[in-house]
Amino acid sequence: MLKNWADRLFKWYCNPDFYPDIKGDLEEIYSDHLEKSEKLAQWKYLIDVALLFRISLLRPITQYPIIKDTGMFRNYFKISVRNLARHKMFTGINVIGLAIGLAGFLLINEYIRFERSYDSFHEDVDQIYRVSYVQVINGEDGDKDAMSSYLVGSVLNEELPEIIQHTVSKKFDPMILKNGNVFFKESGIISADSNFLKLFNYQVIQGSKETFLNEPNSIVLSRSRAKAYFGDEDPMGKTLQVTTNYKATLKVTGIIEDLPDNTHYRFDMMISDKTLDGTHDYENWSYNNYYVYLKTAPGVDVSMLDDKVYAATGKFIDGEDADVNNRTRLDIHPIRDIHLKSDFYFNPQPLGSQKAITFLVIISIFIITIAWVNYINLSTARAMDRAKEVGLRKVIGAFRTQLIIQFLCEAFLINLVGAIVALAIAEISLPYFNLLVDKVIVDHVWNHQPFLVSLVVFSVGGTIASGFYPALVLSDFKPIAILKGKFHNSKKGVALRRGLVIAQFAASMVLVAATFIIYLQINFMIGKDIGLSVDKVVNVLIPEDDYEDEEGRQAFLNRFNSFKESLRSHSAIETVGGTSNVPGGDENDINSTTSAVSIVGLSDRLEGTTYVQFTDDQFFDAVDMDFYAGKNFDRSIKRDTVSVVVNKSFLERFNVADIEDLLGEKMQFGKKETNRKYTIIGIVNDINRTSLKTEVEPTIYLPWMNADNLVIELNDINYLAGIEHLENTWKDFYPDAPLDITYLDERFASLYDQDKRFGDTFLVFALLAILVAILGLFGLSSFLSIQRSKEVGVRKVLGATKTQIVAIFYKDFFVLIAVSVLIGSPIVYFLMNSWLDNYAYRIDFPWWMLVIAGALISVFALATVGYQTSKVASLDPAKTLKYE
């Protein structure tokens, strides 16, 4: 069997002139080996056939066996090197342009690859999904909540055979932990059940993932947090104290490796969920504060499970008689898609943007295409220089195929050198690129396999993309016309170059306009009046005492109130307020309820999400929130404990002609008539508590006179004295706890960090693309100017001035720029209008920006062309015409 297959292979590739003799020798060797073993003989025969596969024995691929002639290939490369060395400027422009374009293209694609790789490191990742809630209102999807009830996972796991495993986790607000007398503020703490590390395969360093979350008061640390708390000591079995939120003493039962950056659910510590028994309502279907994950059996199509999922859970969530057009739908979302393709609220951390990735894909394509276009333009523009070379080669017997290979060799050498330079550029600029995107994408590119593979693929692809058309054009010249001196550039070639230049200008114009529009939107968001005053306002989180009875609680409250009064006594501190959620957090940093809400006796129950914030009577003053009508809470009035303040957006849902009429009315959550009723005592103007990507939420403010997040308004003049007084007072009242001061203006500014990074990234690579385009234009205009030097000389002899000559050259390029602006303008509009739609509050599309972008591109282009043209226009016509 092996021998027959080897015979067919040998006959396929071997030159017919050599085949009979070599075949006979192979048969003799086979007969000798056959005496020892047939199996061994067949394998030896196959190996001999493989070893005979060499260029000198190959069958001719075409009528002219150029492929196997290594001497011819050496000649191709030798001539290519000489040609490239002779025209150093054009070679340099091509190499630099290709190197910059390739380096920029590949770095962007490394970032895109990283963004698309989120959670792909888990085993069986295509079988893991997150369960989320979607409110259906009047038959349409409304608010989307990434979290759901604790019970969802277990019910689906029991009811649906397609679900083979589930886990439940909760992410906590920042906590203060204590090890001995040392305090740490931690923001990366979650709870998890015993299934969590069976579903997600994080690397375990110490302990057993089968057991270390089974018991109450257990905690698992990441490697870095274990190092921070215990240094080089073995952390297993040691304890940590939680001093806020859920006071407990936790025993370290395991250590895991630090999580990679490319995960949608990042944490540093895991507390066993059994620790929270009695403090969390695990049996309440309306308590949507958990991240629930499912693992399906292999091959399950989750899109076919919708009806089964609702049949299993709908009766618990909405009741038996739920209206199909007003209900809660469960969304089963692949975890690999969460980072870029999730539009849910209350995600555990900020997500990426699919539109931003799409924009980066576009700019990367622009960069590499502009670099390739430069090579095509310069190569075809130099056709006149290469025409005589091609004519002579054809006269002495060169075939078109050989010429094509010759010119492809030149393209390959330029792309090869460009790739080597691109690798160096990428390696040198990588640290700055990582800073730009605020992520360590890779440590080095020179040993990063995906980058190197892409480098090779796009170098070879670039050889074909940029070199094939010029090779076809140059090899098609007619030797008779050339040698008679009748050759001139074809109309098709000129039209192609003009088309490519237009494409470059249009791409550059799109990038310039897009960059300006991105920064206009960012500046709009930063400068917009959000309805709050956050300058000179700070926030501190108060640690709770470890009290176990009412007496201990009262002692804590006495110290807390004394601390606030001590702060207020200083002239540099204007107001001290308390709140559950500090303004300037992300979209998830607020409480919410999906219970229906009504104004008692005046409205039907309205479905939808209502956002809830707990505040004391000083909070509104601390951040300068304006009251539209009504009054603030008053801690001296007992009935204010069942009163609420609401924002205008909340009341506007009820379609009341004059919302002031609702002051004093009662509002109620839920469907039961016996549910608590709250009196509306005040209406505040809407504020943007988070990024302007989201609209103002319908919000109610409930009284909480002992809120532990203090918001402190400082005096504008001597605010530094206020900070000093805060630090000293803290030491007096909470000497063992760390003071963590947060500035609200910085919190709000950080909301736009991702947008700023996107804008900076876009700007850098837009400038790179424009630089590459200008390099190409520089080379092209230089060559065309030299080509037309005799024309310039004649015009000068006939009396043309330098300005008139430059204007003639400008005229051609100005037409190309005008056409490119006409092409680029609608592209800018559709791309950037789509991007601006990501924001609830956005600028109107700035049409004037198209004029500015077109003008800037014109300045760049005409300055480049003008420089080269003026050099030629300055030449002495006696020199340019001396051979005429």
Side-chain angles (χ1 to χ4, degrees):
M1 185 68 180
L2 283 174
K3 182 177 181 298
N4 293 336
W5 185 84
D7 274 337
R8 289 196 294 272
L9 175 64
F10 184 60
K11 189 173 183 180
W12 174 74
Y13 75 71
C14 186
N15 191 311
D17 294 338
F18 308 143
Y19 177 75
D21 294 335
I22 300 175
K23 178 72 166 63
D25 293 339
L26 287 171
E27 290 291 347
E28 288 182 15
I29 297 172
Y30 175 73
S31 298
D32 293 340
H33 288 134
L34 192 60
E35 296 176 1
K36 300 177 182 177
S37 166
E38 181 180 1
K39 186 175 181 181
L40 175 65
Q42 294 207 27
W43 275 106
K44 288 281 189 181
Y45 191 90
L46 178 62
I47 292 170
D48 288 338
V49 167
L51 293 174
L52 285 168
F53 189 86
R54 54 191 77 162
I55 292 178
S56 58
L57 298 180
L58 290 181
R59 177 188 295 272
I61 295 176
T62 67
Q63 181 182 358
Y64 307 100
I66 57 171
I67 300 299
K68 66 176 184 176
D69 192 341
T70 56
M72 182 66 79
F73 270 108
R74 284 196 297 272
N75 179 260
Y76 290 152
F77 279 100
K78 186 185 296 182
I79 297 300
S80 297
V81 170
R82 288 175 179 173
N83 273 323
L84 297 177
R86 187 179 302 120
H87 303 283
K88 294 181 178 62
M89 185 183 79
F90 298 111
T91 301
I93 288 173
N94 280 326
V95 167
I96 294 171
L98 286 169
I100 293 174
L102 193 57
F105 174 82
L106 293 178
L107 283 175
I108 292 175
N109 278 275
E110 280 303 311
Y111 175 72
I112 293 170
R113 182 185 290 115
F114 178 85
E115 287 291 288
R116 289 175 173 171
S117 72
Y118 267 63
D119 297 300
S120 58
F121 56 87
H122 293 297
E123 292 179 6
D124 304 324
V125 66
D126 293 327
Q127 296 169 237
I128 304 175
Y129 299 84
R130 186 179 70 187
V131 183
S132 304
Y133 275 15
V134 178
Q135 277 194 306
V136 179
I137 301 174
N138 297 324
E140 296 183 358
D141 286 356
D143 292 325
K144 299 181 177 182
D145 189 341
M147 295 188 284
S148 49
S149 165
Y150 188 91
L151 297 166
V152 166
S154 57
V155 169
L156 292 179
N157 203 162
E158 292 170 6
E159 297 288 331
L160 304 184
E162 293 88 349
I163 308 299
I164 59 176
Q165 207 168 31
H166 81 281
T167 188
V168 182
S169 178
K170 175 180 173 62
K171 186 163 187 176
F172 296 106
D173 292 332
M175 294 184 180
I176 295 177
L177 271 62
K178 183 172 69 169
N179 178 30
N181 294 321
V182 181
F183 290 80
F184 297 84
K185 184 178 180 180
E186 301 287 354
S187 57
I189 303 179
I190 67 169
S191 69
D193 62 14
S194 56
N195 287 334
F196 190 80
L197 287 170
K198 298 174 185 175
L199 212 68
F200 299 112
N201 58 304
Y202 299 113
Q203 183 180 344
V204 176
I205 298 174
Q206 286 182 270
S208 168
K209 67 179 181 180
E210 304 294 332
T211 60
F212 57 26
L213 288 172
N214 287 354
E215 299 298 326
N217 300 320
S218 301
I219 187 169
V220 176
L221 307 178
S222 67
R223 180 198 290 271
S224 59
R225 297 320 294 156
K227 180 79 172 177
Y229 280 93
F230 303 107
D232 295 329
E233 297 179 23
D234 183 1
M236 296 293 287
K238 291 186 167 56
T239 59
L240 298 173
Q241 284 76 44
V242 181
T243 65
T244 55
N245 303 84
Y246 312 102
K247 294 178 292 296
T249 299
L250 305 175
K251 179 181 177 182
V252 179
T253 56
I255 309 296
I256 62 171
E257 189 58 79
D258 291 345
L259 270 62
D261 289 335
N262 56 337
T263 177
H264 81 280
Y265 197 23
R266 194 171 295 118
F267 57 88
D268 299 306
M269 303 179 177
M270 288 186 289
I271 299 173
S272 63
D273 67 347
K274 291 183 178 179
T275 306
L276 309 176
D277 282 347
T279 62
H280 280 61
D281 194 349
Y282 288 155
E283 304 299 321
N284 189 342
W285 282 90
S286 297
Y287 194 69
N288 305 326
N289 288 285
Y290 300 94
Y291 297 106
V292 178
Y293 298 91
L294 306 174
K295 184 175 182 180
T296 62
V300 171
D301 183 359
V302 294
S303 64
M304 306 299 291
L305 294 181
D306 286 348
D307 292 339
K308 290 185 177 181
V309 167
Y310 191 71
T313 60
K315 57 190 174 184
F316 301 110
I317 300 173
D318 298 320
E320 299 284 356
D321 57 347
D323 178 4
V324 69
N325 291 316
N326 292 281
R327 62 184 178 92
T328 302
R329 177 173 64 82
L330 292 184
D331 180 86
I332 302 179
H333 202 83
I335 64 165
R336 290 188 68 168
D337 291 346
I338 289 174
H339 181 65
L340 291 178
K341 299 178 182 178
S342 174
D343 57 352
F344 286 75
Y345 267 56
F346 300 109
N347 282 293
Q349 64 194 48
L351 302 180
S353 168
Q354 181 62 48
K355 281 194 174 180
I357 294 299
T358 302
F359 270 71
L360 290 176
V361 169
I362 292 171
I363 194 173
S364 70
I365 293 173
F366 278 179
I367 289 175
I368 194 67
T369 302
I370 288 172
W372 287 343
V373 164
N374 283 348
Y375 183 85
I376 295 171
N377 269 342
L378 283 174
S379 298
T380 54
R382 291 183 59 220
M384 289 289 287
D385 273 7
R386 307 296 296 271
K388 289 183 180 179
E389 174 193 343
V390 171
L392 288 173
R393 284 177 178 272
K394 284 193 171 183
V395 166
I396 62 175
F399 293 94
R400 189 180 185 192
T401 306
Q402 293 172 312
L403 291 171
I404 289 174
I405 294 175
Q406 169 70 65
F407 294 125
L408 283 175
C409 280
E410 289 187 20
F412 173 73
L413 284 175
I414 285 180
N415 277 273
L416 177 63
V417 177
I420 294 171
V421 177
L423 181 63
I425 292 173
E427 179 66 26
I428 293 169
S429 59
L430 183 61
Y432 306 101
F433 180 72
N434 287 336
L435 284 174
L436 185 65
V437 298
D438 197 33
K439 292 178 181 178
V440 179
I441 307 302
V442 291
D443 294 321
H444 297 282
V445 295
W446 60 266
N447 62 353
H448 183 58
Q449 185 177 354
F451 185 92
L452 296 177
V453 170
S454 297
L455 184 69
V456 172
V457 168
F458 282 94
S459 299
V460 175
T463 300
I464 298 170
S466 62
F468 194 68
Y469 177 78
L472 287 177
V473 171
L474 295 171
S475 64
D476 196 37
F477 293 157
K478 301 296 184 285
I480 295 176
I482 296 168
L483 298 178
K484 284 185 176 182
K486 296 180 179 179
F487 173 78
H488 55 81
N489 278 330
S490 69
K491 291 182 179 180
K492 289 183 180 179
V494 173
L496 174 68
R497 280 198 302 279
R498 287 177 176 172
L500 293 176
V501 170
I502 288 171
Q504 283 186 316
F505 284 153
S508 300
M509 185 254 184
V510 169
L511 295 175
V512 169
T515 302
F516 280 126
I517 291 171
I518 288 169
Y519 278 102
L520 284 174
Q521 174 63 23
I522 293 172
N523 290 333
F524 166 76
M525 293 187 296
I526 293 174
K528 185 180 181 297
D529 181 9
I530 58 174
L532 293 171
S533 175
V534 296
D535 290 335
K536 310 298 186 299
V537 180
V538 300
N539 157 245
V540 295
L541 174 63
I542 302 298
E544 290 189 29
D545 283 344
D546 190 13
Y547 56 81
E548 296 183 357
D549 52 27
E550 185 57 33
E551 184 177 349
R553 173 174 170 73
Q554 193 57 51
F556 161 75
L557 290 177
N558 290 339
R559 178 162 68 158
F560 177 49
N561 289 321
S562 298
F563 173 71
K564 289 193 291 185
E565 290 305 318
S566 178
L567 291 179
R568 289 175 179 139
S569 67
H570 197 281
S571 60
I573 294 179
E574 301 285 348
T575 315
V576 179
T579 182
S580 58
N581 305 94
V582 182
D586 60 30
E587 61 186 27
N588 307 322
D589 191 10
I590 196 169
N591 306 296
S592 68
T593 176
T594 56
S595 296
V597 64
S598 63
I599 305 296
V600 179
L602 295 179
S603 75
D604 296 328
R605 290 184 176 86
L606 295 182
E607 302 290 342
T609 301
T610 301
Y611 296 84
V612 180
Q613 186 165 343
F614 298 90
T615 68
D616 67 9
D617 54 337
Q618 299 291 309
F619 170 74
F620 299 111
D621 290 335
V623 293
D624 285 341
M625 281 180 65
D626 294 328
F627 272 77
Y628 176 77
K631 67 182 186 69
N632 193 359
F633 300 119
D634 186 341
R635 66 175 61 228
S636 66
I637 301 176
K638 188 174 182 180
R639 66 173 178 272
D640 271 8
T641 58
V642 288
S643 300
V644 293
V645 173
V646 299
N647 67 355
K648 291 172 67 176
S649 287
F650 174 81
L651 294 180
E652 285 167 357
R653 298 165 67 189
F654 295 95
N655 294 320
V656 177
D658 189 350
I659 60 176
E660 289 187 56
D661 293 340
L662 298 179
L663 285 174
E665 298 293 341
K666 306 285 187 181
M667 60 156 288
Q668 186 180 46
F669 288 110
K671 298 179 181 179
K672 295 180 180 179
E673 297 295 335
T674 56
N675 286 354
R676 175 178 289 184
K677 299 177 178 65
Y678 298 88
T679 303
I680 301 173
I681 64 169
I683 305 168
V684 292
N685 288 320
D686 289 338
I687 64 165
N688 296 103
R689 65 162 189 87
T690 185
S691 162
L692 296 187
K693 289 183 179 180
T694 58
E695 295 181 351
V696 173
E697 304 102 337
T699 307
I700 68 168
Y701 299 88
L702 289 169
W704 183 20
M705 297 307 168
N706 296 307
D708 53 3
N709 260 311
L710 294 186
V711 179
I712 303 165
E713 181 187 16
L714 303 170
N715 187 284
D716 284 343
I717 299 174
N718 56 341
Y719 69 93
L720 291 178
I723 293 293
E724 183 180 0
H725 178 66
L726 170 60
E727 292 171 345
N728 293 332
T729 306
W730 182 274
K731 291 176 184 177
D732 293 338
F733 284 88
Y734 303 100
D736 297 328
L739 172 61
D740 185 10
I741 300 176
T742 305
Y743 293 82
L744 264 61
D745 56 349
E746 293 179 358
R747 279 174 63 89
F748 274 95
S750 68
L751 294 174
Y752 303 108
D753 284 347
Q754 188 177 28
D755 299 279
K756 291 174 185 174
R757 284 195 297 272
F758 174 67
D760 292 343
T761 305
F762 203 93
L763 172 63
V764 168
F765 287 101
L767 291 175
L768 279 182
I770 294 168
L771 173 62
V772 173
I774 289 175
L775 273 175
L777 184 62
F778 179 86
L780 182 62
S781 60
S782 174
F783 185 80
L784 293 178
S785 299
I786 294 170
Q787 268 195 336
R788 297 176 67 178
S789 59
K790 288 185 174 63
E791 174 193 340
V792 171
V794 172
R795 288 182 181 276
K796 291 189 74 173
V797 167
L798 296 176
T801 64
K802 182 178 177 181
T803 304
Q804 290 172 326
I805 292 171
V806 172
I808 292 170
F809 281 81
Y810 271 174
K811 179 183 176 182
D812 294 338
F813 281 98
F814 188 78
V815 172
L816 300 182
I817 293 170
V819 174
S820 68
V821 170
L822 290 176
I823 293 173
S825 294
I827 296 174
V828 172
Y829 175 76
F830 287 113
L831 281 179
M832 297 314 298
N833 216 37
S834 172
W835 180 77
L836 288 170
D837 284 340
N838 288 332
Y839 298 89
Y841 302 91
R842 47 160 286 184
I843 59 173
D844 294 327
F845 184 82
W847 292 100
W848 52 271
M849 187 55 67
L850 300 178
V851 177
I852 291 179
L856 281 175
I857 293 301
S858 300
V859 169
F860 289 143
L862 297 180
T864 304
V865 173
Y867 172 75
Q868 292 294 343
T869 306
S870 62
K871 284 174 61 178
V872 174
S874 300
L875 294 175
D876 185 351
K879 294 181 179 179
T880 58
L881 299 177
K882 65 181 178 179
Y883 295 113
E884 295 300 318

